[in-house]
Amino acid sequence: MTRTLEASVLIVGGGPVGLCLAIDLAWRGVDSVVVERRHPGEPPSVKCNHVSSRTMEIFRRLDLAQKVRAAGLPEDYPNDVVVRTRATGYELMRIHIPCRRDRYTDNSGPDGWWPTPEPPHRVNQVFLEPLLFDEARRAPGVRILNRTEFENFDQDDERVVAHARDLESGEPVEIRAEYIVGCEGGRSRVRKAIGAKLAGDELIQRVQSSYIRAPGLRERITKPDAWMSYLYNPERSGNLVAIDGRETWLIHNYLLPHEADFDTVDRDRCIRLLLGVGPELEYELLGKEDWIGRRMVADRFRDRRAFICGDAAHLWVPYAGYGMNAGIADAMNLSWMMAACLKGWAPQALLDAHERERQPITEQVSHFAMRHAESAIRERTSVPPELEDATPEGEACRRRVGEAAYALHVQQFACAGLNYGYYYDGSPIIAYDGEVQPPYTMYDYTPSTVPGCRTPHMWLKDGRSLYDALGPNYTLLRFDALVDASSLVEAAAAAGLPLKVLDIDVSELPDPFEHKLLLSRPDQHVAWRADAPPADPDGLIDLIRGASD
């Protein structure tokens, strides 16, 4: 007998992206069903190791930031990134990233200047995902169907009807929803069902990854400790990540250009070579994965009521930690738009903006990651033979390689541009005013109020973050209380668009704000700005809610 369920949104995939989407929808008063093949509490893979500042800002809004920041490494474990010849060998350079105990107070690192209430956080997915699962499980209106396999769906102008199967009982499950979102990874059935195809670069790097428990390793590793260690020597290169800060580690072995077959590469030998240890070190292999780094982006993110987010929509080499974080950004962009449609203050046309906004940014970010990966590959495949020599020539070589490595890798581990610099250009729901958004790189970022940019952060006189004072939907920032914004407020009310007016107490406009009025979207991007209300307030409100002709 078929079991039938109903929900506003069906989310396929219960990883970080799908769970964040469910949590945010619940925060906005929208119910959802999450379909996930794994058992409740089944450990995820150890793929993701970093929560970006922008994602931490989202977690702050959802009252999750402190819970997330308390998870992962011990509070005093250095979050630094180093380059060493081997884990037990020479250290060539160090990028200082404060431990989580000092993250709000230590501004001495290369990201210490960032204009945000929430710096990044280093935590592995094995700690993050259970936390998100527990939050989603307790959120009102969220139902998680574990051990359930999504099979296919049909849709019409009114709804989606999805078909799944309970993997324990074999019972068919039918789920009826307003929308379906595929967050189930690179092999997404939702992506295939909407006819979307991944295109890009099929092969950038082959990687052999091993998750190990090695209780005696930490005491052998060159001090001081670090969260991530790039390992470069003339024989081969890799990457070591501290998972629990005590005895569990993730080690990536970058295959050499001639190593096209994973099975021919001796895993144990390479692990010991990269660590710089012999058979005397005992370790337990907890998990392994052989994977290929790619740069692939779907040619479409939507078909009517069906959408894809995260790895279902894009795959790329995990540089700057922007695989999972880009997926969460997809979900947050989609969440507020879906909620607006379901709550009735925006028409279905609002959802046209999701693909128009996210696909170009995804394509751009994927190229940032690919170019950085290519530079890193060139660096680690051209290691000088004298790098480990205990000679003046070896010391000079290590200093030279270390300086070059710092210049390269600080771009991804202090990637202000990827966190704050991206903007939505050409969106149908943003009121552009002719000024061009400032350019950005992976590392560089210029705060700006040009429509489409992230609403710049500032600290208010009462000590609060501006982001803590924003409303859950649209917020009109008013820097001069004498400006009469009533026409805009009335137009929003007439359309049913939720709008909060936030008066900012300043004697003069703070940099980089240039106008007395700024309209900030639910996702903290600038929708409009001016010194006075628009001549056609109804027209502006219709534009930002997707109701313009």
Side-chain angles (χ1 to χ4, degrees):
M1 181 175 177
T2 301
R3 181 162 50 121
T4 302
L5 303 173
E6 293 193 4
S8 295
V9 181
L10 168 60
I11 301 168
V12 183
V17 174
L19 292 172
C20 283
L21 177 57
I23 294 167
D24 196 67
L25 286 170
W27 186 79
R28 299 182 185 281
V30 175
D31 66 291
S32 64
V33 167
V34 181
V35 172
E36 170 57 50
R37 295 186 78 259
R38 290 173 293 163
H39 291 277
E42 182 176 331
S45 70
V46 289
K47 289 180 181 177
C48 304
N49 291 288
H50 170 71
V51 180
S52 73
S53 174
R54 281 292 273 158
T55 301
M56 288 302 298
E57 290 174 355
I58 292 163
F59 289 158
R60 183 185 181 100
R61 172 171 58 78
L62 297 171
D63 197 26
L64 280 172
Q66 292 309 306
K67 294 179 185 178
V68 171
R69 206 171 287 281
L73 298 168
E75 66 168 12
D76 60 348
Y77 195 94
N79 282 193
D80 296 353
V81 176
V82 301
V83 173
R84 295 184 175 123
T85 55
R86 303 170 199 265
T88 55
Y90 294 104
E91 183 170 308
L92 310 183
M93 75 85 178
R94 178 174 290 259
I95 299 171
H96 174 55
I97 301 172
C99 64
R100 62 182 174 88
R101 180 195 60 202
D102 303 332
R103 202 58 178 98
Y104 292 114
T105 57
D106 183 351
N107 298 321
S108 63
D111 63 3
W113 63 273
W114 284 9
T116 179
E118 291 293 344
H121 178 52
R122 270 69 188 177
V123 59
N124 190 269
Q125 188 172 340
V126 295
F127 300 113
L128 175 65
E129 189 176 305
L131 187 156
L132 296 176
F133 176 83
D134 187 59
E135 191 71 20
R137 181 178 54 81
R138 294 186 292 104
V142 177
R143 183 171 183 179
I144 302 176
L145 303 182
N146 284 103
R147 296 296 293 151
T148 303
E149 183 164 37
F150 166 79
E151 294 178 339
N152 53 62
F153 73 95
D154 302 303
Q155 64 171 314
D156 56 29
D157 292 340
E158 302 297 325
R159 65 181 180 180
V160 168
V161 178
H163 309 282
R165 187 166 299 278
D166 186 312
L167 293 174
E168 299 294 334
S169 68
E171 178 185 32
V173 182
E174 181 179 278
I175 306 163
R176 302 180 181 186
E178 298 277 336
Y179 305 106
I180 182 172
V181 187
C183 304
E184 76 273 48
R187 296 183 176 138
S188 169
R189 289 183 177 179
V190 176
R191 184 186 68 237
K192 293 172 184 175
I194 68 173
K197 293 180 172 55
L198 293 172
D201 299 280
E202 294 272 2
L203 173 60
I204 297 176
Q205 173 72 65
R206 291 184 176 87
V207 184
Q208 190 183 65
S209 296
S210 304
Y211 179 33
I212 65 172
R213 177 181 287 116
L217 180 58
R218 184 180 178 186
E219 63 190 39
R220 295 169 179 263
I221 290 178
T222 304
K223 300 303 176 191
D225 289 324
W227 160 67
M228 179 174 284
S229 304
Y230 282 94
L231 309 172
Y232 293 169
N233 61 70
E235 294 177 84
R236 59 186 321 117
S237 299
N239 190 335
L240 181 69
V241 183
I243 302 301
D244 67 356
R246 299 179 180 88
E247 61 180 21
T248 56
W249 311 83
L250 177 62
I251 184 164
H252 299 303
N253 171 35
Y254 300 126
L255 269 59
L256 299 172
H258 68 275
E259 295 173 330
D261 185 354
F262 286 104
D263 293 335
T264 63
V265 179
D266 187 325
R267 184 182 299 269
D268 176 71
R269 176 183 174 277
C270 292
I271 288 174
R272 295 185 184 280
L273 190 153
L274 290 167
L275 296 180
V277 300
E280 74 282 355
L281 178 74
E282 296 182 359
Y283 70 85
E284 177 186 0
L285 186 63
L286 302 176
K288 60 182 180 178
E289 183 176 4
D290 297 335
W291 54 279
I292 295 175
R294 313 175 190 273
R295 190 203 66 82
M296 308 289 285
V297 179
D299 58 358
R300 60 189 304 190
F301 286 10
R302 176 195 183 190
D303 173 27
R304 293 167 289 165
R305 292 181 172 270
F307 299 80
I308 52 175
C309 291
D311 284 356
H314 43 74
L315 296 164
W316 57 67
V317 284
Y319 279 91
Y322 255 74
M324 178 190 73
N325 292 287
I328 292 174
D330 295 339
M332 296 303 100
N333 179 276
L334 183 59
S335 177
W336 77 264
M337 294 182 188
M338 279 188 173
C341 295
L342 291 165
K343 294 291 183 181
W345 58 265
Q348 295 295 315
L350 175 68
L351 291 165
D352 294 341
H354 173 68
E355 186 176 82
R356 294 271 298 274
E357 293 182 353
R358 290 305 302 169
Q359 191 179 37
I361 294 303
T362 300
E363 185 74 29
Q364 191 173 65
V365 170
S366 75
H367 281 285
F368 278 141
M370 183 186 70
R371 287 195 294 269
H372 190 91
E374 290 172 340
S375 296
I377 291 169
R378 286 193 297 271
E379 177 184 73
R380 62 178 178 253
T381 54
S382 58
V383 174
E386 68 272 21
L387 187 67
E388 296 181 287
D389 291 354
T391 62
E393 292 76 16
E395 183 177 349
C397 177
R398 289 189 288 275
R399 183 169 57 251
R400 186 172 63 253
V401 171
E403 289 172 353
Y406 185 95
L408 175 64
H409 292 293
V410 75
Q411 298 176 55
Q412 65 158 319
F413 293 106
C415 53
L418 290 192
N419 274 272
Y420 317 121
Y422 69 85
Y423 52 83
Y424 297 134
D425 187 20
S427 171
I429 60 169
I430 292 175
Y432 300 101
D433 56 16
E435 187 173 346
V436 177
Q437 297 91 347
Y440 71 100
T441 67
M442 180 181 282
Y443 180 78
D444 298 301
Y445 159 66
T446 303
S448 174
T449 62
V450 174
C453 293
R454 166 184 178 261
T455 301
H457 178 260
M458 63 179 292
W459 293 101
L460 304 179
K461 283 188 176 181
D462 61 7
R464 287 184 301 164
S465 160
L466 170 64
Y467 294 165
D468 295 341
L470 296 177
N473 295 295
Y474 277 91
T475 302
L476 180 65
L477 307 184
R478 183 165 61 176
F479 291 91
D480 183 347
L482 297 179
V483 176
D484 182 7
S486 59
S487 63
L488 198 54
V489 172
E490 291 166 3
L497 183 143
L499 175 65
K500 174 181 178 178
V501 177
L502 177 63
D503 284 313
I504 310 293
D505 182 14
V506 291
S507 56
E508 59 183 29
L509 283 171
D511 186 57
F513 294 91
E514 301 174 348
H515 299 77
K516 296 177 181 179
L517 299 175
L518 183 145
L519 192 58
S520 184
R521 299 192 333 179
D523 59 354
Q524 299 167 356
H525 280 261
V526 178
W528 169 85
R529 61 179 183 168
D531 286 318
D536 180 11
D538 294 321
L540 175 61
I541 295 299
D542 280 347
L543 185 147
I544 65 172
R545 68 187 188 94
S548 294
D549 294 334

